[in-house]
Amino acid sequence: MALQLAPITENFGAVASGIDLRAGIDADVTAEIEDAMDKYAVLVWHDQPLDDDQHMAFTLNFGPLDMGLLNVTKKPNRFKHEGFVDIANVGIDGKLMARDAKSVTSSIANQFWHTDSSFMQTVAKYSLLSARVIPDAGGDTEFADLRAAYDELPDDLGDIVTDLMAEHHPLHSRILLGNVYTEEQMANIPPAKWPIVRTHPGSGREILFTPIHIHKIDGMSDPEARMLVDELIEHSTQPQFVYRHKWRPNDLVMWDNRCTLHRGRRFDLTARRDLRRTTVMEEPSTT
Ligand code: OGA
Ligand code: MN
């Protein structure tokens, strides 16, 4: 069967079907999915019970693996491949972790609006998140369309953000949660700099790139930068720009980090929530 798309809104989000992702896809289907991603930015696939090898093989059709901080944290994981990010309150032994376990509390940073790996020097392209166990309530994931957000930017904000450069640091969202790091820890992971207004390569449209990872903006004091980021996130995540995904087990959701923000929503941390993610980057030569 061929790829079928049921748009969620006219230009943002689509439910994709017609392909068994476990079977592997060829270059033509890969190109079709990339076209759909260029238009809709978020694709939802239901009933795709991928094992680790199948998830990884599907991922690598779209680019080289982005390791994010995995090479820095070097934590062993419960998967077959090092490149999986564990998005679960489950330990390496498969058991539910205590709600105050360090990796549970630090994963709460995913509940801020962010893009994956914006603090890397490479450009994170797609993330692919696969769900196994979902709590009865809560734990949705929301996505915001940064192209629409740019199109609807009020003129006064538009004047401010044109040509602004921002610095993204991976520990910033955790600092906002109250974690404290030494200067050495901060310096250990170098930040990345990106303009706030960028062009989305897939659609040629401008976007407002405002993930929570921004901790500094050139020419501004830190408090001024913080409030501007808050205001831009508030603008970009108005309901008309947002798709809220209610997970079912075996959903795979893929999104384009170059034109979206996303965040997880609160859930009961004593309930099991088990998802796993891969991310690919643009070919380094194109960044
Ligand atoms: C992620 C992420 C949010 C969630 O996987 O990158 O931010 O709802 N997830 O788990
Ligand atoms: Mn994320």
Side-chain angles (χ1 to χ4, degrees), residues 45 47-50 55 78 87 128-135 139 141 245-253 273-277:
W45 305 80
D47 306 316
Q48 298 281 355
L50 303 176
H55 183 144
R78 61 196 169 101
I87 305 290
L128 300 93
L129 184 59
S130 171
R132 293 293 179 281
V133 182
I134 297 300
T141 306
H245 183 67
K246 291 197 178 304
W247 291 96
R248 303 183 204 162
N250 296 327
D251 278 353
L252 177 87
V253 178
R273 184 174 188 266
D274 181 352
L275 300 93
R276 68 270 322 258
R277 167 164 71 77

Side-chain angles (χ1 to χ4, degrees), residues 47 111 167 169 255 275:
D47 306 316
Q111 295 181 23
E167 194 172 285
H169 197 286
W255 63 87
L275 300 93

Side-chain angles (χ1 to χ4, degrees), residues 87 110 114 116 129 140-141 255 262-265 273 277:
I87 305 290
N110 281 342
H114 67 281
D116 296 330
L129 184 59
D140 298 345
T141 306
W255 63 87
H262 63 277
R263 66 170 176 180
R265 300 314 315 265
R273 184 174 188 266
R277 167 164 71 77

Side-chain angles (χ1 to χ4, degrees), residues 99-117:
R99 67 191 305 157
D100 59 352
K102 194 162 172 280
S103 60
V104 174
T105 57
S106 82
S107 72
I108 292 176
N110 281 342
Q111 295 181 23
F112 284 120
W113 285 106
H114 67 281
T115 45
D116 296 330
S117 292

Side-chain angles (χ1 to χ4, degrees), residues 11-32:
N11 293 307
F12 189 55
V15 177
S17 59
I19 295 170
D20 180 352
L21 303 183
R22 291 172 301 182
I25 55 169
D26 63 18
D28 288 347
V29 174
T30 303
E32 270 185 73

Side-chain angles (χ1 to χ4, degrees), residues 82-283:
E82 285 184 339
F84 277 96
V85 181
D86 205 346
I87 305 290
N89 54 352
V90 170
I92 195 158
D93 54 3
K95 291 198 182 121
L96 188 72
M97 286 188 282
R99 67 191 305 157
D100 59 352
K102 194 162 172 280
S103 60
V104 174
T105 57
S106 82
S107 72
I108 292 176
N110 281 342
Q111 295 181 23
F112 284 120
W113 285 106
H114 67 281
T115 45
D116 296 330
S117 292
S118 74
F119 41 78
M120 301 293 289
Q121 315 289 333
T122 47
V123 174
K125 186 183 170 192
Y126 302 158
S127 289
L128 300 93
L129 184 59
S130 171
R132 293 293 179 281
V133 182
I134 297 300
D136 291 339
D140 298 345
T141 306
E142 291 182 315
F143 299 90
D145 182 354
L146 298 180
R147 302 170 297 186
Y150 178 83
D151 291 347
E152 306 277 322
L153 194 62
D155 287 345
D156 61 324
L157 271 179
D159 291 344
I160 293 171
V161 297
T162 307
D163 300 329
L164 272 191
M165 286 296 287
E167 194 172 285
H168 302 233
H169 197 286
L171 297 179
H172 182 59
S173 57
R174 278 137 186 137
I175 290 168
L176 293 176
L177 286 178
N179 291 4
V180 178
Y181 299 95
T182 62
E183 281 197 13
E184 194 189 338
Q185 285 171 314
M186 288 294 284
N188 238 339
I189 317 173
K193 280 187 112 163
W194 304 110
I196 287 187
V197 178
R198 298 172 75 184
T199 306
H200 174 230
S203 61
R205 292 173 62 189
E206 303 290 286
I207 68 142
L208 203 56
F209 195 57
T210 56
I212 194 69
H213 300 305
I214 296 175
H215 77 148
K216 289 181 182 302
I217 294 177
D218 284 1
M220 285 188 184
S221 67
D222 289 353
E224 189 186 0
R226 165 107 31 110
M227 291 316 293
L228 181 62
V229 171
D230 276 3
E231 187 176 358
L232 293 171
I233 289 179
E234 194 176 321
H235 166 77
S236 305
T237 59
Q238 296 173 76
Q240 66 270 31
F241 307 138
V242 171
Y243 164 64
R244 181 170 187 141
H245 183 67
K246 291 197 178 304
W247 291 96
R248 303 183 204 162
N250 296 327
D251 278 353
L252 177 87
V253 178
M254 57 195 287
W255 63 87
D256 190 334
N257 286 296
R258 302 166 303 178
C259 63
T260 58
L261 292 180
H262 63 277
R263 66 170 176 180
R265 300 314 315 265
R266 175 173 49 77
F267 64 102
D268 174 1
L269 291 174
T270 65
R272 196 179 178 93
R273 184 174 188 266
D274 181 352
L275 300 93
R276 68 270 322 258
R277 167 164 71 77
T278 49
T279 297
V280 292
M281 56 187 174
E282 288 184 349
E283 300 290 339

